[in-house]
Amino acid sequence: MQLRYSYRLCPTRGQGQALARAFGCARVVYNDALRVRETAREAGLPFPKAAELSAALTEAKRTPERVWLGEVSAVVLQQSLRDLEAAYRAFFDGLAGRRPKVGAPRYKSRKDARQSIRFTANARWCITDGGKLALPKVGEVRVRWSRRLPCTPSSVTVIKDAAGRYFCSFVVQTTEVPDPPATTAEVGIDLGLTHFAVTSDGRKVTSPRFLRRAEKKLKKAQQALSRKQEGSANRGKARARVARAHAQVADARREFHHQLSTMLVRENQAVYVETLSVKGLARTRLAKSVHDAGWSAFTGMLEYKAARYGRTFARVDRAFPSSQLCSHCGYRDGPKALHIRQWSCGQCGAEHDRDVNAARNILHEGRRITT
């Protein structure tokens, strides 16, 4: 299966400037190619082929206006053209109904929060014996290796995020999968806001509420940013402080999701969750809490980790009345207000914790749809 491995990069000042040149050149090439295609569309002409755009790029590097494109690796510029090709393909496939709809490609800005470039094997990049990442026309960049790569990757993507941090990302094809512990246990999971996850065996995981806990710090940083003059150096520094504060929240949330999802997948042979309408809930007064929880990212982790470890994973449709059914006798007791956390079954008299009962019903329904 394909896995992505990301590591933090620590470029020197000179290497940071070289990467900035590469980001800028890749952006200009992308925008030039997009402009050519938009001009052809407005004129009613056929779209220029990728080979034509590549030839035009080679000619552009010989002109005084674009001669500085030769200061960066040619592979980076060619990959930028391929990114545009992929963006158009996704757009047209969406119009044809072959995939979810996405917008048409848009021009990139140097003020975009995220900048990235990609080096393929043709660029002759490598990982040195000293553990550094050698990039053409950039140099040997120090890498913080947090884990071992399972095999030699064929390409590397260098990313700069809104907080000014650099990362290298590798996508590798591997069959090396750690053997998970043998188990026959199965679990149903009910996701919520007060408790992030409640399992069918009665465990309750309190929601960390990372954004809520950082709101005071974020508010102070945002207020300081709003007082800075537009275009000033101090405003740029204040913007970076806001971005770093948000990055800390996102990193903490992602780490929590990874630890919890790994634990659940390792401990259980089958994992079942309820499909949630996140977009619908995000339009209510609970929007901030819903986004803070990050349910979609968590269930996505559960899904790919279950596939990696050979576990069973299934989503129960959100139309399933998990909160209305008695998990003991199956009697449907009707809808209940959200403030009702404990209730008794009108048929068998069983006492239920609302969330644990819902998780058990999700477990039963998950077993049914997978057998």
Side-chain angles (χ1 to χ4, degrees), residues 32-34 36-37 48-58 78 81 84-85:
D32 284 351
L34 178 57
V36 169
R37 286 195 162 179
K49 303 293 184 183
E52 297 175 35
L53 295 175
S54 180
L57 170 61
T58 303
Q78 293 295 333
L81 292 178
L84 178 63
E85 192 73 19

Side-chain angles (χ1 to χ4, degrees), residues 288-300:
K288 185 180 288 188
S289 296
V290 169
H291 287 306
D292 192 11
W295 294 323
S296 295
F298 174 69
T299 54

Side-chain angles (χ1 to χ4, degrees), residues 125-319:
W125 67 273
C126 67
I127 299 172
T128 67
D129 294 336
K132 292 186 177 182
L133 182 63
L135 300 173
K137 299 191 178 181
V138 175
E140 296 182 358
V141 186
R142 188 166 69 88
V143 185
R144 295 182 185 176
W145 298 104
S146 55
R147 52 181 174 167
R148 183 180 61 86
L149 279 170
C151 61
T152 303
S154 60
S155 66
V156 57
T157 302
V158 179
I159 303 162
K160 182 182 180 183
D161 67 5
R165 303 177 301 177
Y166 293 88
F167 297 90
C168 60
S169 176
F170 306 93
V171 176
V172 297
Q173 190 84 21
T174 179
T175 56
E176 181 182 322
V177 179
D179 293 329
T183 180
T184 58
E186 297 180 334
V187 67
I189 305 171
D190 181 60
L191 300 175
L193 295 177
T194 303
H195 292 99
F196 177 80
V198 178
T199 62
S200 52
D201 56 9
R203 285 184 294 179
K204 295 186 176 182
V205 180
T206 303
S207 180
R209 300 183 179 182
F210 294 106
L211 181 62
R212 295 288 187 181
R213 284 160 47 187
E215 271 187 323
K216 188 175 181 180
K217 179 181 179 181
L218 289 169
K219 180 180 178 181
K220 187 175 180 181
Q222 190 65 53
Q223 287 175 337
L225 172 62
S226 66
R227 289 193 291 266
K228 300 297 186 289
Q229 183 178 351
E230 287 281 353
S232 67
N234 283 337
R235 185 175 179 85
K237 295 175 185 177
R239 185 210 58 78
R241 280 192 289 271
V242 172
R244 283 195 294 270
H246 278 289
Q248 289 173 357
V249 172
D251 289 347
R253 184 188 298 115
R254 190 181 306 109
E255 179 68 13
F256 167 73
H257 287 165
H258 271 299
Q259 290 183 357
L260 181 59
S261 59
T262 300
M263 181 190 71
L264 290 170
V265 171
R266 285 178 62 83
E267 291 180 353
N268 299 279
Q269 179 60 39
V271 180
Y272 307 111
V273 296
E274 186 177 18
T275 302
L276 297 170
S277 177
V278 177
K279 287 185 178 180
L281 291 169
R283 289 194 290 266
T284 68
R285 60 185 178 85
L286 301 173
K288 185 180 288 188
S289 296
V290 169
H291 287 306
D292 192 11
W295 294 323
S296 295
F298 174 69
T299 54
M301 290 180 185
L302 282 175
E303 186 169 13
Y304 87 75
K305 289 179 182 180
R308 185 183 183 192
Y309 287 108
R311 307 299 205 193
T312 300
F313 175 85
R315 298 177 189 266
V316 174
D317 192 271
R318 62 174 178 264

Side-chain angles (χ1 to χ4, degrees), residues 152 208 300 351 362 371:
T152 303
E351 295 287 335
I362 291 170
T371 55

